[in-house]
Amino acid sequence: MNAKGVRLLVIDALKNKTDAGDRVYSPRDWSTTADMYPVILVQTPIDVKNSLGRNVPQFTTVTTVRITGRLQELDDETEDNGAEKAEEALEQLREQIERAVINSYELTRKIQQFLQVRSTIGVDAGGEGHTAQLLMELDIEYYQGPEEFYEIDADPLEGIDVEISMPDGTPVPLVKIDLE
């Protein structure tokens, strides 16, 4: 397991489980347009490894998965309620994302824990409608051991010489070791 593996599992967990449907992207350019909304963008900007000891590459790793959800809502013809609709839609998207990721069996069976979940929402009325964005960060903790890293370059083992010293008068030992 590594940051890329976590990211791919999160993407799989989100596809077709939120209002964004299959519009879950990573990696891609971060600019989006109204015809794409709602859309979810996933990236892993932070990866922290804490050593579990000397001499062996073993780590408790925390990868921060950043999930950006974007959508747009327009005012009704009779009411100026686009901002309210956008915020409610973001709150719903946030709940859908949390449920999809935290309940993902494929993800949770490969990690130790969801260390922390942070989210913020914002609504902007600067365009045609009310553009809203959810920024969610999940700190996901998992173990990385020697199997995750490249094999260490070492001289190949050519053989081992074994000599058994026995006191005088002892019968010849019945041990034969051939490691060639």
Side-chain angles (χ1 to χ4, degrees):
M1 178 68 75
N2 56 27
K4 179 181 179 183
V6 170
R7 180 176 55 84
L8 294 175
L9 287 169
V10 168
I11 292 167
D12 286 344
L14 290 170
K15 284 200 174 184
N16 297 311
K17 298 214 177 60
T18 68
D19 290 340
D22 66 346
R23 292 180 307 277
V24 179
Y25 303 107
S26 177
R28 67 160 281 130
D29 292 335
W30 297 109
S31 59
T32 54
T33 57
D35 61 324
M36 299 173 69
Y37 296 141
V39 64
I40 295 175
L41 309 169
V42 181
Q43 63 186 143
T44 51
I46 302 170
D47 192 50
V48 178
K49 294 176 182 6
N50 293 300
S51 177
L52 294 175
R54 293 180 170 78
N55 301 324
V56 178
Q58 293 180 325
F59 300 94
T60 297
T61 302
V62 177
T63 296
T64 299
V65 178
R66 182 174 294 151
I67 300 171
T68 305
R70 295 181 183 158
L71 56 87
Q72 184 179 41
E73 293 290 341
L74 302 173
D75 291 330
D76 289 336
E77 288 183 24
T78 59
E79 219 177 320
D80 185 18
N81 63 348
E84 179 183 346
K85 288 174 19 182
E87 189 157 337
E88 287 176 359
L90 272 186
E91 290 171 341
Q92 178 174 312
L93 186 62
R94 173 172 41 197
E95 186 173 320
Q96 292 170 347
I97 290 170
E98 284 178 358
R99 287 184 179 175
V101 174
I102 292 172
N103 290 329
S104 168
Y105 175 74
E106 289 302 315
L107 177 62
T108 55
R109 73 185 187 96
K110 294 182 179 179
I111 67 170
Q112 292 175 313
Q113 68 174 322
F114 293 95
L115 194 60
Q116 189 175 46
V117 177
R118 298 174 301 282
S119 64
T120 59
I121 59 174
V123 178
D124 180 22
E128 179 182 338
H130 292 83
T131 305
Q133 178 168 294
L134 163 70
L135 181 62
M136 181 179 286
E137 292 183 331
L138 297 99
D139 292 336
I140 299 176
E141 180 184 281
Y142 53 97
Y143 169 79
Q144 282 187 299
E147 65 280 357
E148 296 291 327
F149 302 95
Y150 289 93
E151 185 177 311
I152 297 172
D153 290 333
D155 295 329
L157 182 61
E158 303 274 334
I160 297 176
D161 294 329
V162 177
E163 183 178 316
I164 300 175
S165 297
M166 302 298 286
D168 289 338
T170 304
V172 177
L174 297 175
V175 176
K176 180 180 179 186
I177 300 173
D178 185 9
L179 299 175
E180 285 190 64

